[in-house]
Amino acid sequence: MKLLFSMGCAALFLILPCSPLPAAPEGTAGPLVGTVTPTSASIWFFASPGAKCEIFASPDAAKVFNTPLKFTPINKPVGKVVGILQTATLTDLNPDTFYHYGVKVDGETAGTLQGSFRTPPQPGTPHKFRMVLTSCMKFGQPQGSWNLLRAEKPHLHLTVGDTHYADTTDPAEQWGHHLRYRRVPEFAAVIRNIPTYAMWDDHDYGPNDSDKTARGKEQSLAGWKQFWSNPSAGTAATPGAFFKFSWGEVDFFLVDGRYHRSPDKAPDDAKKRMLGDAQFNWLLEGLKASRAKFKVIASGSTLDHSKGDGWRIYTFSRHRLFDAVKTNRINGVVYMSGDIHNSLVWQHPESTRVGYPLVEVISSGIANSGNLSFAAVDFDTTGNDPSMRVRIIMGNRKVSTDRTWKLSEISHK
Ligand SMILES: [Fe+2]
């Protein structure tokens, strides 16, 4: 087996758009690094039917890659979309280790088929890491902020919806939109080099502001599971896109604010639900069981800033969540969201219900807004009082906000 790329080429991935790299075969999309654990990594790829795809990985780009691992096809073509989605899981990896990997299609690789990632440490290990938060990305809009995001060298990427604007539950339409955006060079370079976890919002779930009444939502969910490599989706008893994962001493709960959501226009009374009762109980049990220092709840919907399509008009659900954090004395809860085509960080004015300042990080419009912004969050759990630093980065490279919270500030006294 031949050496597939050099260290110099790998460095290029992190700094520059991928246009100088040799192109992947026509019709492919990905690779995308999805779920990464201390010992494994899931790689997603899309190729023509019949293409023979293999994957290689190594902790050292200067060495020959290790034994190839075959992809497993996970679906047949949908509508006019011709091609096969495939996934492979790299196993027996080492915690907190940087890896290079590559995909070969019919025996050939290319620069745009090669990427990298870093595994997290074992859960509960004190650790410093950087995550980036994004939402709202549209084909045809300026895509340069993805290069700024890569320059931050984040360990992981959370995207909380409007990952495309198909605005329908029709699977063929959704597939077309997913694939078109995955081939945007700037975005493609992000997803092949930064482990990416995704939650949908209305525009990738169904029509604008859609909810549990959306016809065809089962098809949307099936397609969503095929296009992302999240660790799971829903539970055996409760369908949905929600899931959780850990990175060091931070637990992430990605909640699905669409599949079980009461309509926005329903009366704001005790019957109105944002997550549905089963998902809320899943979240609460997860928060109560978590031993992590920080517990991030992430969703497309903002707590307050979206006046017509967020938790602001779901008072019962909002208060039930806030009150549960206080009653159960759950420390270090942080909320992250998107949707509003602007980015900011603030403390919710109803924090007295929570028992400490409830910080909300909103990141929206990295490729669909006036300021093309995103958020970078540094978690540091190595000290006696762990910290969370939030920066809001604009498309013009300016940092509009830079704030740090100590864990003791967002804990019950
Ligand atoms: Fe959006």
Side-chain angles (χ1 to χ4, degrees):
M1 195 184 325
K2 300 287 184 297
L3 179 64
L4 296 180
F5 60 92
S6 70
M7 285 298 277
C9 190
L12 273 178
F13 290 175
L14 301 175
I15 301 166
L16 298 173
C18 58
S19 51
L21 298 172
E26 202 171 325
T28 62
L32 170 148
V33 193
T35 299
V36 175
T37 75
T39 57
S40 70
S42 295
I43 311 293
W44 175 99
F45 191 62
F46 180 87
S48 303
K52 183 171 167 254
C53 302
E54 298 164 289
I55 185 168
F56 307 82
S58 166
D60 183 348
K63 286 183 188 167
V64 175
F65 284 1
N66 64 10
T67 311
L69 205 160
K70 291 215 172 6
F71 277 94
T72 308
I74 56 173
N75 202 58
K76 293 178 178 172
V78 167
K80 292 179 185 164
V81 179
V82 177
I84 302 293
L85 298 172
Q86 321 201 33
T87 58
T89 303
L90 300 165
T91 56
D92 299 323
L93 305 182
N94 294 317
D96 200 12
T97 303
F98 191 77
Y99 284 89
H100 296 272
Y101 72 94
V103 174
K104 269 181 148 184
V105 179
D106 295 330
E108 300 289 332
T109 188
T112 53
L113 294 181
Q114 298 168 11
S116 59
F117 59 86
R118 188 169 193 96
T119 53
Q122 294 290 2
T125 307
H127 187 51
K128 287 183 194 177
F129 71 94
R130 173 170 297 163
M131 59 153 287
V132 284
L133 178 71
T134 67
S135 73
C136 297
M137 53 207 73
K138 202 168 200 176
F139 186 84
Q141 298 293 311
Q143 305 293 333
S145 287
W146 293 117
N147 297 335
L148 300 184
L149 180 146
R150 269 196 304 144
E152 291 291 322
K153 297 191 166 72
H155 294 69
L156 79 128
H157 171 210
L158 282 196
T159 188
V160 288
D162 298 352
T163 61
H164 61 70
Y165 289 80
D167 288 304
T168 173
T169 57
D170 178 63
E173 279 289 316
Q174 290 184 346
W175 273 55
H177 278 77
H178 273 300
L179 287 172
R180 185 172 68 163
Y181 202 74
R182 297 238 165 144
R183 291 168 180 150
V184 170
E186 295 88 346
F187 183 65
V190 166
I191 58 176
R192 71 171 178 266
N193 288 299
I194 307 168
T196 294
Y197 297 78
M199 176 50 65
W200 59 19
D201 202 20
D202 50 345
H203 296 286
D204 28 28
Y205 165 78
N208 187 36
D209 294 349
S210 44
D211 52 51
K212 68 178 183 181
T213 65
R215 256 185 249 153
K217 66 179 182 180
E218 298 82 5
Q219 296 172 327
S220 287
L221 182 57
W224 187 257
K225 290 195 236 177
Q226 288 161 344
F227 267 88
W228 298 99
S229 274
N230 294 329
S232 57
T235 64
T238 309
F242 56 98
F243 62 94
K244 63 180 174 180
F245 71 98
S246 303
W247 200 282
E249 293 189 291
V250 182
D251 283 351
F252 292 89
F253 298 86
L254 278 287
V255 295
D256 181 344
R258 295 294 162 188
Y259 206 88
H260 302 282
R261 180 194 191 112
S262 305
D264 284 338
K265 291 191 168 37
D268 191 13
D269 60 21
K271 288 193 214 140
K272 196 173 187 180
R273 296 287 184 275
M274 173 61 81
L275 304 178
D277 291 338
Q279 184 182 186
F280 175 79
N281 289 334
W282 168 88
L283 172 62
L284 181 56
E285 291 309 311
L287 290 171
K288 283 160 66 177
S290 172
R291 302 273 73 85
K293 298 285 197 295
F294 294 97
K295 294 102 179 161
V296 173
I297 304 171
S299 160
S301 288
T302 61
L303 291 176
D304 193 72
H305 285 74
S306 177
K307 293 182 173 50
D309 185 47
W311 292 80
R312 181 189 179 113
I313 53 171
Y314 290 74
T315 303
F316 173 85
S317 295
R318 189 178 75 249
H319 286 172
R320 182 162 69 160
L321 175 60
F322 290 6
D323 294 347
V325 172
K326 186 172 201 172
T327 305
N328 293 284
R329 296 190 63 77
I330 301 165
N331 293 330
V333 172
V334 177
Y335 189 81
M336 297 190 182
S337 61
D339 180 43
I340 60 169
H341 298 198
N342 195 16
S343 303
L344 59 102
V345 58
W346 77 313
Q347 297 179 174
H348 197 280
E350 292 178 327
S351 291
T352 47
R353 288 194 93 103
V354 176
Y356 55 80
L358 179 59
V359 176
E360 180 179 18
V361 184
I362 304 174
S363 172
S364 173
I366 185 161
N368 189 22
S369 68
N371 59 32
L372 304 172
S373 56
F374 65 96
V377 183
D378 293 314
F379 288 101
D380 181 354
T381 64
T382 60
N384 288 336
D385 194 357
S387 63
M388 175 185 73
R389 178 187 180 196
V390 181
R391 287 173 300 139
I392 304 297
I393 300 169
M394 299 287 148
N396 64 4
R397 299 172 187 265
K398 291 212 169 104
V399 176
S400 70
T401 306
D402 186 344
R403 288 191 64 177
T404 298
W405 282 266
K406 293 281 189 187
L407 180 58
S408 58
E409 296 175 75
I410 53 172
S411 295
H412 297 282
K413 301 292 181 254

